[in-house]
């Protein structure tokens, strides 16, 4: 059975056809600056992330270190690089939404 969303305008023209790869949110997790991972068998064929950060500006003399995301065989992993300056560098925190196609 086909799944997705198709929207037409008043003239019958397709304005959105999202029937090929429909996204499904599996879960969300609050990222606090620590490395971590989540596994789900439905992410084996691919997945997506949407990271909603708490803030966009760090110290003017330091850096804001954002998480790096990767998928491998149904496991989503996020890692943070090491701080260059313990005094001024900050880890980007926020909410991570993740799912599968």
């Amino acid at each position: 059975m086909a799944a997705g969303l198709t929207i037409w305008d008043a003239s019958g023209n397709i304005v959105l056809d999202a029937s090929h790869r429909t996204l499904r949110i599996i879960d969300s997790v609050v990222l606090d600056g620590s490395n971590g991972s989540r596994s789900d068998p439905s992410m084996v064929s691919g997945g997506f992330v949407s990271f909603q950060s708490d803030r966009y500006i760090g110290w003017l003399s330091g850096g804001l270190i954002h998480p790096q995301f990767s998928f491998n065989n149904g496991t989503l992993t996020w890692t943070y690089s090491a701080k260059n300056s313990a005094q001024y560098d900050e880890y980007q925190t926020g909410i991570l939404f993740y799912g599968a196609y």
Side-chain angles (χ1 to χ4, degrees):
M1 176 170 61
L5 174 68
T6 305
I7 299 174
W8 294 269
D9 64 12
S11 302
N13 300 311
I14 295 176
V15 294
L16 174 68
D17 185 359
S19 59
H20 297 287
R21 291 183 71 101
T22 304
L23 305 175
R24 179 175 56 90
I25 294 176
I26 295 172
D27 200 1
S28 64
V29 61
V30 175
L31 300 189
D32 61 0
S34 302
N35 297 338
S37 65
R38 293 284 174 103
S39 295
D40 191 287
S42 60
M43 293 190 299
V44 169
S45 62
F48 72 93
V49 297
S50 175
F51 180 63
Q52 308 300 310
S53 60
D54 291 347
R55 62 189 181 285
Y56 296 101
I57 298 175
W59 293 97
L60 295 177
S61 58
L64 196 56
I65 301 169
H66 62 278
Q68 302 289 318
F69 303 102
S70 64
F71 285 97
N72 185 14
N73 199 24
T75 300
L76 165 64
T77 304
W78 58 91
T79 56
Y80 288 88
S81 299
K83 291 182 176 182
N84 291 321
S85 168
Q87 182 177 3
Y88 295 111
D89 286 349
E90 295 182 39
Y91 290 124
Q92 180 71 67
T93 57
I95 300 174
L96 167 67
F97 296 92
Y98 65 93
Y101 296 109

